[in-house]
Amino acid sequence: MAHVTRRVRAGVAAIAVALALVSLPPVAAGLNAAEVPAVSFTIEGRAFSLDREALLKRPDLTVIDVPDDVSYHRPMRYKAVPLAPILADHGLAADDHLEVAALDGFVAQLPAALVLETRPDRARAWLALSTADGPTADGPTADGDWPTLPDKDADPGPFYVVWTNAAASGVTQEQWPYQVASFTATVPLLDRFPPMRVAETLPADAPERKGEQVFAVQCAACHKINGAGPAELGPDLNLPMNPTEYVQPAALKKLIRNTKSVRSWPGSVMPAFSADELSDADIDHIVAYLTHMAGRKAGPAK
């Protein structure tokens, strides 16, 4: 019963944080650290925030090397603090779920056990801190301005979740949120938004169910289904029409793999996914999920 109460409190807190985020402005080109002086946390129904100065004074602040940063697509060096002790000290449990919201409406889904991991042979989560204002053209150094992101007019600061040894725990590129505004402990995404779920009558090993799980991690960071989900960056993928209703299957798979291989425009923000990040089988499962959801528009899970 205590665990259920904990979930309810977390859910209420998540709603409060989500409402607060509605008032945040879209990410501006050239956003600098002074515009977002603190990152907020809500854990166990309790809210707190840490500003850059407090984080820079932590004894566990260190410099880390990231051999293949997913946003810059090259080695980077960051001044960063480990996330595990911050979250654990404030009551995050391994069976919790963490949502990380960015200023542009992107919302990453992170199992708490993944973020709390401290073993040296596993992936480890860090909160990288921009230590100066505004982007520059290049440079992987920890000090000074961060470079602009490829094909963007902004850097990922002032707060960016980065990983060391990411491949050891299967961390996906959608689990590297940048320009982070908040961390919220809540219930898992599909438990909180039943309209995103497939029919209960489907077998446990159905490709649609596998696609549901992949969608929750890889796609729900930007997209809603049936108006459900926390993200605000991309379009709803079931309302008013599901892409399987107007895109041929082969083209849809190419679109998911690399949007620019099908259609390219200046405002496109959807990244390409390598086979390591999203396998062909994963894409097949996503298409199966979307096809299934086309017949479940805006209805409650059954």
Side-chain angles (χ1 to χ4, degrees):
M1 181 62 71
H3 192 64
V4 172
T5 303
R6 171 196 183 107
R7 295 296 194 191
V8 171
R9 290 202 309 269
V12 171
I15 292 170
V17 171
L19 290 173
L21 286 174
V22 170
S23 63
L24 289 171
V27 175
L31 179 75
N32 63 58
E35 293 177 87
V36 188
V39 60
S40 66
F41 298 80
T42 304
I43 302 171
E44 275 283 87
R46 296 184 295 272
F48 66 99
S49 63
L50 293 171
D51 61 24
R52 290 172 58 252
E53 294 307 312
L55 289 164
L56 289 169
K57 292 176 181 176
R58 285 182 61 92
D60 53 2
L61 177 74
T62 188
V63 173
I64 61 169
D65 286 299
V66 178
D68 188 14
D69 184 277
V70 302
S71 298
Y72 285 110
H73 310 296
R74 63 183 175 91
M76 290 294 292
R77 178 171 294 155
Y78 295 106
K79 190 168 288 185
V81 295
L83 272 171
I86 295 174
L87 298 169
D89 288 350
H90 286 84
L92 189 72
D95 60 349
D96 281 330
H97 184 80
L98 199 64
E99 281 192 347
V100 187
L103 292 176
D104 61 0
F106 182 95
V107 183
Q109 304 294 322
L110 299 175
L114 181 66
V115 185
L116 293 173
E117 182 63 72
T118 59
R119 287 176 293 178
D121 62 336
R122 308 296 290 172
R124 192 169 190 190
W126 302 81
L127 187 62
L129 314 174
S130 174
T131 56
D133 297 334
T136 59
D138 53 24
T141 60
D143 294 313
D145 298 332
W146 285 355
T148 53
L149 291 165
D151 302 320
K152 298 185 186 299
D153 295 324
D155 67 37
F159 305 108
Y160 176 23
V161 175
V162 301
W163 299 82
T164 50
N165 205 21
S169 301
V171 177
T172 73
Q173 72 179 55
E174 301 303 297
Q175 293 173 321
W176 294 64
Y178 56 76
Q179 293 186 345
V180 169
S182 67
F183 294 81
T184 303
T186 183
V187 296
L189 180 76
L190 295 171
D191 292 339
R192 199 159 77 261
F193 296 103
M196 301 180 76
R197 304 214 72 147
V198 299
E200 291 182 0
T201 54
L202 287 176
D205 61 349
E208 295 87 351
R209 286 196 183 280
K210 294 177 182 178
E212 176 188 73
Q213 297 300 318
V214 178
F215 186 95
V217 174
Q218 295 284 65
C219 309
C222 296
H223 298 282
K224 295 180 184 292
I225 284 282
N226 287 331
E232 299 288 349
L233 185 57
D236 191 302
L237 294 184
N238 211 32
L239 298 177
M241 290 185 71
N242 185 297
T244 62
E245 297 175 293
Y246 58 87
V247 180
Q248 295 178 354
L252 180 55
K253 292 177 184 180
K254 290 182 178 180
L255 189 72
I256 295 170
R257 169 69 67 206
N258 181 6
T259 302
K260 291 182 174 63
S261 71
V262 177
R263 181 180 295 113
S264 182
W265 66 98
S268 174
V269 296
M270 183 169 171
F273 295 93
S274 71
D276 290 335
E277 295 160 341
L278 198 66
S279 68
D280 288 342
D282 287 336
I283 292 178
D284 288 341
H285 294 149
I286 291 172
V287 172
Y289 168 71
L290 291 173
T291 302
H292 174 78
M293 295 305 292
R296 293 172 61 78
K297 290 184 185 293
K302 298 178 180 178

